[in-house]
C-alpha cells in the first residue's frame, strides 16, 4: 500500500558543543599501571572489565555483556576536538552521522538510520531523537556509550540499530577538581568551558559545568550558538544510601545550513569531482559550496531544563533499590527555507518555507530492585522494575508559500507570515522489565531480559481556523513486548566469547509523534542474532573485539518521496565489526577499527511513484568504514604529545532507488599538545587536514540537495586543570 503524507522536518538538533581543546598531558599513572607508566590523553584503553550501565541494569562489565558496547570519554572528546555528540559518536566503530539541523542526531549504524537509533540522556528516553534531541556541549559530558543492535528490551520502542547514551558529568567523592577551556578556530569559532567537582564534606559533594560555543559556520551566517549548564548535588549518608539532585539547562541556536543544491551537468560550470555520481547527471557546483540559501531571519532555537532526583538504597548486601524521578520541559522553534531545488527553466533556486514550534512537558519515574542471591546453588543477580512517563507535546506548524532566488547571489529575504496549525500529542507509557544474570558455571553466564509495556497515544489536530480536525485525530494503544537471551563464556581469563538473541520494536514510519490517523499499523518487529569475542591482549595493554550479527526488521514503512511513504516487507542487515587497541610502548598507543555491513530491503516496489527498490541498500548506509587513531607522548623527552586519526567511509547511496551514489572519502585530524606547566596545556589542531570535499549525508527528506562535510578547520586551545 502507498499513502500520502507531508513530511514534517525532524527536530532533533545540532547543538554544536563547546569542546575543541585537548587536555593537558597527564602527570600520574593510569589506574592499574605502574608508577613509571603514563596516561595517554588522546586515547583510553578499553577496559573490558569496567561496568557500563548502558548495556544492562545488572552492573555487568563490557566483557560480561552479550552485546557490542563502545564508549568515548571526556578526555578523548577534548583531545580529538569533537565539539558535538554527533562528531564524537561518529568516531566510534561502524557509525556515521548526518549533520542536518533538521535532524542533527541522525546516525547510521548496522544498516539502520533515523529513529531506528535511540538517543538516551543519562539512560533515560525523552522522546524520538529526530523530534526532541539537543545534545548540548560535549564539555559537560563524562562520555558517550553506544549499545549496538536492538535495545528495546532495555529502553522500549525505537532501538533497532542501536542506542546512544549521552552521559553528563556527575559529582563524586574522589577529590576536588576543576577545569577551564578556551579555544578559537576558523570560521570565527569560539569555545569556552568552566567546571569542577567539590567534596563539601564526608556526606556531600557538588559539581557544576558551564560551556559556551559559537561559530559563524563554514557556510556564511549559518553557525550555531549554545550555552549549557549542568550541575548536581550528591548526598551520601552512609555506604547504603545515596541521593542525587541534578539539573541540565540548555539554550541554543542550531546551524541553519540545510544543504547544497544538486545541479544538472549543463548548469554546473565548476563541478566538484569525486564526491557523488547520479543517474540523472546531477552534481555539486563549486561556486555554490559556501552559499547560504536560507532566509535572513532563519531560526532553529530552543531552551530546555531537565531536573532529576535519583535515590539508591541498599538495605542489605543482597538488595538494592533505585528510583529516578524527572521532569523535562523544552520550547523549540524552526523558521527556515529548507528545500533548495534548482529550476532548469529559470536557472534559479526554488525555496520552500516551513516553520514548526514545540512545547514539550515530560514527567517520568523509573524504579528498580536488584537482588543478589543463589538459585539452585548458582550465583544469580535479578533486576525487576517499572518505567512510567506522561508526555504533553504541542506542535504548531505551517507551510507558507516559497520563492525563487539567484543561484550564485541569492537575495535571502525574510520568511513571511506564520499561519499555524496546532497538533497536540499526549502519551502515557507504563512498562515492566526484568533482567537476570545466572552463573551456570564459574566460566559460563546466562544473561536474559524482558520488557512489556503499554503506550496510550492521543493525537489531536486543528485546522488553520482553530477548528478541530476529527478525521485526522485519533487514539491508539501500542503493546510492545521484547526479550533477549545471551550466553557469555570465558575461554581463558583474558578471552571471552558470547552469543545472543534479542528483539526490538519501533513505529512503522518515522516516530510516534508523526504517526498519522491512516497509519493504523502495529509496531514494526525486529530481531538480531549476534556472536563475538572480547579479549584482553599484551598483558592488559591492549584489547580486541570481534562481532558478527544478523538483523531483520519486518512490516515497515519507508520514505520514497518528500510527501510519500510506502509499505515494504522487511529490511535485513548482516555485518562484521572488528576493533582493537594497544599501548605499543609506554608512550605510544594505537586504536583501530573496521566494519562491513550488507544491508538490503526486502520486497519494495512502489508502482505509483516508479520506485523499484527490492534488494537495494538503504540510503546513507556505507558498506565499509574504518578508523585509525594514534597518540605519542614525551616526544624527544619534551612535554609534548602529538597524534592524529583517519576516518574512512565507504560508498553509500543517497536515495532508496540507489540512483544517487555518494563516493567514499577519508578525513584526517592531527594535533599537538605542549604542557606549559603540569596543569596548563596549549594545543594546536587541524581537522579535515587534507581539506577533502565530501558528501556527509544525503537526506531523503531534502532530495534536491546534499549535506557537504566541513572543510579544513584549524584551531588553538588552552586547557587548565586545577
Amino acid at each position: 500500500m502507498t499513502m500520502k503524507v507531508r513530511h514534517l522536518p525532524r527536530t532533533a538538533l545540532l547543538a554544536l558543543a563547546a569542546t575543541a581543546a585537548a587536555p593537558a598531558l597527564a602527570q600520574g599513572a593510569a589506574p592499574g599501571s605502574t608508577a613509571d607508566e603514563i596516561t595517554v590523553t588522546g586515547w583510553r584503553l578499553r577496559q573490558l572489565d569496567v561496568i557500563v550501565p548502558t548495556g544492562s541494569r545488572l552492573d555487568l562489565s563490557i566483557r560480561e555483556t552479550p552485546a557490542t558496547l563502545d564508549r568515548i570519554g571526556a578526555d578523548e572528546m577534548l583531545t580529538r576536538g569533537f565539539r558535538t555528540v554527533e562528531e564524537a559518536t561518529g568516531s566510534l566503530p561502524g557509525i556515521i552521522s548526518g549533520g542536518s539541523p533538521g535532524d542533527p542526531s541522525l546516525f547510521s549504524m548496522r544498516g539502520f538510520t533515523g529513529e531506528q537509533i535511540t538517543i538516551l540522556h543519562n539512560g533515560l528516553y525523552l522522546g524520538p531523537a529526530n523530534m526532541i534531541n539537543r545534545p548540548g556541549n560535549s564539555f559537560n559530558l563524562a562520555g558517550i556509550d553506544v549499545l549496538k543492535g536492538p535495545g528495546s528490551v532495555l529502553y522500549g520502542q525505537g532501538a533497532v540499530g542501536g542506542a546512544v547514551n549521552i552521559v553528563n558529568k556527575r559529582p563524586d567523592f574522589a577529590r576536588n577538581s576543576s577545569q577551564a577551556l578556551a579555544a578559537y578556530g576558523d570560521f570565527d569559532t569560539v569555545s569556552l568551558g568552566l567546571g569542577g567537582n567539590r567534596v563539601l564534606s564526608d556526606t556531600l559533594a557538588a559539581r557544576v559545568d558551564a560551556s559556551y560555543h559559537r561559530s559563524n559556520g563554514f557556510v556564511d551566517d549559518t553557525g550555531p550558538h549554545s550555552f549549557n549548564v549542568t550541575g548536581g548535588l550528591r548526598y551520601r549518608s552512609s555506604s547504603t544510601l545515596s541521593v542525587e539532585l541534578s539539573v541540565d539547562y540548555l539554550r541554543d541556536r542550531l546551524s541553519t545550513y540545510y544543504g547544497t543544491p544538486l545541479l544538472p551537468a549543463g548548469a554546473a560550470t565548476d563541478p566538484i569531482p569525486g564526491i557523488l555520481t547520479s543517474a540523472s547527471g546531477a552534481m555539486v557546483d563549486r561556486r555554490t559550496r559556501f552559499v547560504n540559501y536560507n532566509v535572513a531571519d532563519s531560526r532553529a532555537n530552543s531552551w530546555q531544563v531537565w531536573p532529576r532526583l535519583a535515590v539508591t538504597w541498599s538495605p542489605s548486601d543482597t538488595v538494592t533499590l533505585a528510583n529516578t524521578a524527572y521532569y523535562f520541559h523544552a520550547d523549540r522553534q524552526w523558521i527556515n527555507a529548507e528545500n533548495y531545488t534548482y529550476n532548469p527553466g529559470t536557472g534559479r533556486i526554488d525555496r520552500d518555507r516551513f516553520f514548526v514550534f514545540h512545547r514539550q512537558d515530560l514527567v517520568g519515574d523509573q524504579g528498580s530492585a536488584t537482588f543478589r542471591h543463589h538459585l539452585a546453588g548458582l550465583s544469580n543477580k535479578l533486576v525487576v522494575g517499572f518505567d512510567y512517563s506522561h508526555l504533553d507535546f504541542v506542535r504548531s506548524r505551517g507551510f507558507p508559500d516559497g520563492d525563487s532566488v539567484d543561484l550564485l547571489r541569492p537575495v535571502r529575504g525574510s520568511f513571511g507570515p506564520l499561519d499555524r496549525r496546532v497538533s497536540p500529542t499526549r502519551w502515557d507509557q507504563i512498562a515492566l522489565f526484568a533482567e537476570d544474570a545466572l552463573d551456570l558455571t564459574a566460566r559460563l553466564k546466562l544473561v536474559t531480559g524482558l520488557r512489556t509495556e503499554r503506550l496510550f497515544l492521543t493525537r489531536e489536530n486543528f485546522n488553520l481556523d482553530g477548528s478541530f480536525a476529527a478525521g485526522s485525530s485519533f487514539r491508539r494503544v501500542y503493546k510492545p513486548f521484547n526479550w533477549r537471551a545471551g550466553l557469555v563464556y570465558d575461554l581463558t581469563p583474558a578471552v571471552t566469547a558470547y552469543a545472543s538473541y534479542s528483539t526490538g520494536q519501533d513505529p512503522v514510519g518515522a516516530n510516534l509523534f508523526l504517526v498519522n490517523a491512516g497509519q493504523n499499523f502495529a509496531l514494526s518487529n525486529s530481531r538480531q542474532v549476534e556472536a563475538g569475542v572480547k579479549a584482553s591482549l599484551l598483558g592488559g595493554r591492549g584489547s580486541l573485539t570481534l562481532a558478527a550479527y544478523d538483523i531483520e526488521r519486518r512490516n515497515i514503512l519507508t520514505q520514497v518521496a518528500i510527501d510519500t511513504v510506502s509499505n515494504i516487507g522487511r529490511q535485513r542487515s548482516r555485518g562484521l565489526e572488528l576493533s582493537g587497541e594497544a599501548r605499543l610502548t609506554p608512550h605510544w598507543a594505537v586504536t583501530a577499527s573496521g566494519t562491513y555491513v550488507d544491508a538490503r530491503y526486502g520486497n519494495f516496489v512502489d508502482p505509483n511513484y516508479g520506485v523499484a527498490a527490492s534488494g537495494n541498500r538503504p540510503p546513507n548506509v556505507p558498506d565499509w568504514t574504518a578508523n585509525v587513531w594514534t597518540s605519542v607522548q614525551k616526544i624527544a623527552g619534551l612535554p609534548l604529545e602529538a597524534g592524529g586519526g583517519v576516518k574512512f567511509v565507504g560508498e553509500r547511496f543517497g536515495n532508496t532507488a540507489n540512483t544517487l551514489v555518494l563516493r567514499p572519502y577519508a578525513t584526517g585530524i592531527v594535533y599537538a599538545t605542549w604542557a606549559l606547566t603540569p596543569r596548563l596545556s596549549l594545543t594546536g589542531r587541524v581537522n579535515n587536514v587534507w581539506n577533502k570535499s565530501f558528501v556527509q549525508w544525503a537526506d531523503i527528506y531534502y532530495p534536491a540537495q546534499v549535506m557537504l562535510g566541513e572543510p579544513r578547520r584549524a584551531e588553538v586551545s588552552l586547557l587548565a586543570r586545577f
Side-chain angles (χ1 to χ4, degrees):
M1 60 155 300
T2 300
M3 68 186 68
K4 297 270 191 176
V5 298
R6 174 61 166 96
H7 166 64
L8 301 179
R10 294 148 297 167
T11 61
L13 357 145
L14 186 64
L16 283 179
T19 59
L25 293 171
Q27 302 300 311
S33 66
T34 60
D36 59 348
E37 290 180 327
I38 61 173
T39 299
V40 181
T41 58
W43 170 85
R44 287 291 182 273
L45 176 67
R46 175 180 295 162
Q47 297 172 316
L48 297 179
D49 296 310
V50 169
I51 294 172
V52 179
T54 301
S56 171
R57 296 183 177 90
L58 292 164
D59 290 336
L60 299 179
S61 67
I62 294 177
R63 187 189 302 276
E64 295 172 315
T65 304
T68 299
L69 283 164
D70 291 306
R71 347 179 45 186
I72 183 167
D75 281 351
E76 289 174 284
M77 289 188 282
L78 283 168
T79 303
R80 302 184 188 189
F82 299 141
R83 301 167 297 169
T84 68
V85 168
E86 177 197 0
E87 291 175 338
T89 306
S91 73
L92 294 172
I95 304 173
I96 67 169
S97 60
S100 169
D103 198 346
S105 293
L106 181 65
F107 298 109
S108 176
M109 183 191 313
R110 290 198 168 182
F112 296 89
T113 61
E115 276 310 295
Q116 282 75 62
I117 313 296
T118 290
I119 308 297
L120 308 166
H121 292 263
N122 300 304
L124 297 173
Y125 178 71
L126 303 179
N130 63 0
M131 296 293 288
I132 66 97
N133 197 49
R134 320 284 293 213
N137 297 336
S138 56
F139 182 86
N140 301 66
L141 303 182
I144 299 170
D145 299 337
V146 176
L147 172 66
K148 301 285 187 67
S152 294
V153 70
L154 295 173
Y155 304 114
Q157 56 83 26
V160 176
V164 177
N165 187 20
I166 303 163
V167 183
N168 284 4
K169 294 174 180 175
R170 300 175 53 199
D172 62 60
F173 292 91
R175 61 186 176 90
N176 292 332
S177 63
S178 298
Q179 191 176 67
L181 166 71
Y184 183 80
D186 287 332
F187 319 122
D188 196 25
T189 301
V190 174
S191 299
L192 301 171
L194 179 64
N197 184 78
R198 286 293 178 269
V199 181
L200 303 177
S201 71
D202 291 341
T203 60
L204 195 63
R207 182 175 191 101
V208 176
D209 295 279
S211 58
Y212 170 77
H213 175 79
R214 69 137 169 95
S215 174
N216 193 48
F218 70 89
V219 173
D220 185 56
D221 193 29
T222 61
H225 302 257
S226 62
F227 176 64
N228 193 193
V229 179
T230 55
L233 191 65
R234 184 179 176 188
Y235 174 71
R236 183 181 65 181
S237 65
S238 66
S239 61
T240 62
L241 177 64
S242 174
V243 180
E244 184 175 339
L245 176 64
S246 58
V247 66
D248 187 329
Y249 171 83
L250 173 69
R251 184 176 292 273
D252 67 2
R253 176 199 180 212
L254 301 180
S255 166
T256 52
Y257 168 62
Y258 278 85
T260 301
L262 296 169
L263 306 183
T269 62
D270 188 14
I272 301 177
I275 64 172
L276 60 82
T277 58
S278 171
S280 66
M283 55 189 63
V284 174
D285 194 314
R286 198 182 309 273
R287 299 172 300 164
T288 67
R289 176 76 174 90
F290 304 108
V291 176
N292 184 355
Y293 292 97
N294 210 331
V295 292
D297 57 349
S298 61
R299 257 178 281 168
N301 304 335
S302 82
W303 80 270
Q304 66 184 42
V305 63
W306 182 29
R308 304 178 301 282
L309 178 65
V311 179
T312 303
W313 178 45
S314 298
S316 71
D317 293 338
T318 60
V319 178
T320 298
L321 305 178
N323 188 269
T324 299
Y326 58 94
Y327 168 70
F328 179 78
H329 172 82
D331 285 294
R332 312 180 190 97
Q333 295 182 351
W334 282 261
I335 302 176
N336 296 280
E338 299 181 1
N339 280 277
Y340 316 134
T341 304
Y342 179 78
N343 187 327
T346 64
R348 294 168 66 85
I349 295 295
D350 294 337
R351 304 186 303 186
D352 70 347
R353 296 289 193 276
F354 178 81
F355 72 87
V356 61
F357 299 154
H358 290 175
R359 188 183 76 243
Q360 179 180 357
D361 290 282
L362 178 70
V363 178
D365 191 81
Q366 185 181 97
S368 66
T370 303
F371 303 94
R372 292 167 289 273
H373 59 284
H374 285 80
L375 183 65
L378 303 176
S379 178
N380 190 67
K381 183 182 290 186
L382 171 68
V383 174
V384 295
F386 69 91
D387 195 350
Y388 170 78
S389 65
H390 171 79
L391 171 80
D392 284 300
F393 181 83
V394 179
R395 184 177 74 242
S396 305
R397 80 271 189 212
F399 310 90
D401 293 336
D403 60 2
S404 180
V405 295
D406 187 81
L407 173 65
L408 301 180
R409 290 171 293 277
V411 176
R412 294 180 58 194
S414 60
F415 185 87
L418 304 179
D419 294 322
R420 311 184 186 187
R421 291 181 297 169
V422 178
S423 297
T425 297
R426 295 186 301 277
W427 82 32
D428 283 282
Q429 174 257 347
I430 180 68
L432 301 177
F433 59 82
E435 291 184 77
D436 189 83
L438 178 64
D439 292 339
L440 298 175
T441 71
R443 299 168 64 181
L444 180 63
K445 185 184 298 289
L446 173 65
V447 180
T448 57
L450 59 86
R451 178 184 175 106
T452 182
E453 58 189 298
R454 296 292 183 270
L455 197 153
F456 302 88
L457 179 69
T458 300
R459 168 77 38 73
E460 296 175 341
N461 290 318
F462 293 85
N463 300 312
L464 284 175
D465 61 3
S467 60
F468 180 62
S472 60
S473 301
F474 63 92
R475 294 182 178 178
R476 194 160 298 152
V477 179
Y478 296 96
K479 303 176 181 180
F481 175 82
N482 291 284
W483 62 279
R484 77 171 178 183
L487 288 171
V488 181
Y489 182 67
D490 293 331
L491 300 171
T492 72
V495 181
T496 300
Y498 71 92
S500 66
Y501 183 94
S502 56
T503 70
Q505 290 180 286
D506 65 303
V508 294
N511 63 60
L512 285 179
F513 287 2
L514 294 180
V515 171
N516 292 322
Q519 296 177 351
N520 192 21
F521 306 105
L523 298 174
S524 293
N525 296 301
S526 60
R527 62 100 183 116
Q528 174 183 261
V529 178
E530 178 176 346
V533 175
K534 304 174 185 180
S536 299
L537 305 173
L538 304 175
R541 292 184 292 110
S543 70
L544 183 72
T545 63
L546 172 66
Y549 61 87
D550 184 315
I551 306 174
E552 185 177 44
R553 181 174 179 242
R554 300 175 299 278
N555 301 322
I556 59 180
L557 300 179
T558 193
Q559 186 92 6
V560 296
I562 195 167
D563 62 349
T564 307
V565 295
S566 180
N567 182 274
I568 65 177
R570 65 184 177 91
Q571 179 180 338
R572 191 165 189 175
S573 175
R574 299 172 175 173
L576 292 170
E577 298 174 348
L578 176 66
S579 62
E581 300 155 310
R583 182 177 297 167
L584 301 178
T585 74
H587 300 160
W588 178 29
V590 175
T591 179
S593 68
T595 67
Y596 172 75
V597 60
D598 178 17
R600 302 289 172 184
Y601 287 123
N603 182 34
F604 184 178
V605 178
D606 179 15
N608 293 331
Y609 289 88
V611 177
S614 298
N616 285 5
R617 195 192 312 168
N620 298 298
V621 173
D623 47 3
W624 292 94
T625 65
N627 293 277
V628 178
W629 182 267
T630 187
S631 180
V632 182
Q633 284 191 323
K634 291 192 174 181
I635 298 173
L638 300 172
L640 174 65
E641 175 182 336
V646 176
K647 179 181 179 66
F648 171 79
V649 176
E651 183 177 274
R652 298 140 292 143
F653 294 102
N655 53 24
T656 53
N658 288 183
T659 56
L660 177 63
V661 181
L662 312 181
R663 306 301 300 168
Y665 68 88
T667 60
I669 298 174
V670 295
Y671 79 92
T673 296
W674 185 275
L676 302 173
T677 74
R679 297 181 181 273
L680 184 66
S681 65
L682 178 68
T683 295
R685 181 183 301 101
V686 180
N687 286 11
N688 194 358
V689 65
W690 303 298
N691 202 25
K692 174 72 175 178
S693 295
F694 61 96
V695 179
Q696 180 176 342
W697 199 267
D699 196 325
I700 58 175
Y701 293 97
Y702 308 103
Q705 64 221 51
V706 291
M707 297 292 299
L708 299 180
E710 184 182 62
R712 181 164 52 217
R713 170 170 54 88
E715 63 189 22
V716 293
S717 60
L718 195 66
L719 182 73
R721 290 179 169 175
F722 49 93

